[in-house]
């Protein structure tokens, strides 16, 4: 009986000493709508709205430093995506390509800024960000 008790105490101690994962959610405004991202260690997943079309898309990938390399999918297609964040994670630029034209990259063509509280749109660096 004592050995079972010692085993349970040991397991409890071991489980309590495992560091907790840090999951961070960030909401960005872009030229075309809101971009919601969840960061879980080096994995990133999220969704984005294509407000002018009234549709949604999704992204997922791996983070290396401040650069996420992964995939996107929405009603227009799917493909590769690279999202580069600035030092404080408040802004990003995106390069992407579609699987239907794998040789054609759209460089620095999509931008995001952290969503300010209570704002539906704002302009920064001559980019009009839509938060709807």
């Amino acid at each position: 009986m004592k050995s079972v008790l010692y085993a349970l105490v040991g397991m409890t101690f071991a489980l309590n000493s495992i560091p907790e994962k840090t999951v961070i959610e960030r909401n960005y405004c872009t030229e075309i709508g809101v971009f919601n991202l969840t960061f879980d260690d080096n994995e990133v997943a999220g969704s984005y709205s294509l407000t002018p079309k009234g549709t949604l898309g999704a992204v997922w990938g791996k983070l290396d430093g401040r650069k996420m390399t992964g995939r996107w999918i929405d009603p227009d297609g799917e493909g590769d995506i690279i999202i580069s964040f600035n030092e404080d994670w408040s802004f990003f630029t995106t390069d992407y390509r579609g699987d239907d034209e794998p040789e054609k990259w759209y460089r620095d063509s999509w931008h995001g800024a952290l969503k300010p509280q209570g704002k539906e749109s704002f302009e920064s660096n001559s980019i009009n960000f839509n938060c709807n």
Side-chain angles (χ1 to χ4, degrees), residues 42-75:
N42 71 332
E43 295 180 3
V44 181
S47 63
Y48 54 90
S49 65
L50 299 166
T51 301
K53 296 180 179 184
T55 61
L56 295 175
V59 296
W60 61 94
K62 296 284 184 181
L63 198 59
D64 183 11
R66 290 186 316 272
K67 184 183 284 189
M68 187 209 88
T69 304
R71 300 281 295 166
W72 64 271
I73 187 169
D74 63 36

Side-chain angles (χ1 to χ4, degrees), residues 30-34 48-57 72-78 96 100 106 110 130 132:
T30 74
E31 297 94 332
I32 60 167
V34 176
Y48 54 90
S49 65
L50 299 166
T51 301
K53 296 180 179 184
T55 61
L56 295 175
W72 64 271
I73 187 169
D74 63 36
D76 291 335
E78 61 186 282
Y96 68 94
D100 59 340
Y106 295 89
W110 197 7
N130 181 355
N132 294 319

Side-chain angles (χ1 to χ4, degrees), residues 4 12-13 17 19 35-36 40 50 64 74-76 79 84 91 95 99 102 104 108 112 116 126-128:
V4 172
T12 302
F13 178 75
S17 65
F35 204 108
N36 302 308
D40 186 354
L50 299 166
D64 183 11
D74 63 36
D76 291 335
S84 301
F91 185 82
D95 301 333
D99 288 346
K104 185 176 182 179
D108 190 26
S126 70
I127 299 170
N128 186 20

Side-chain angles (χ1 to χ4, degrees), residues 24-31 33-39 47-49 83 85-86 88-92 111-116 122 129-132:
I24 299 170
E25 294 185 19
R26 293 188 176 106
N27 300 311
Y28 294 88
C29 300
T30 74
E31 297 94 332
V34 176
F35 204 108
N36 302 308
L37 294 174
T38 300
F39 298 80
S47 63
Y48 54 90
S49 65
I83 303 175
F85 297 91
N86 68 350
D88 66 359
W89 304 91
S90 64
F91 185 82
F92 70 76
H111 310 89
L114 275 176
K115 182 177 180 177
F122 64 98
F129 291 102
N130 181 355
C131 304
N132 294 319

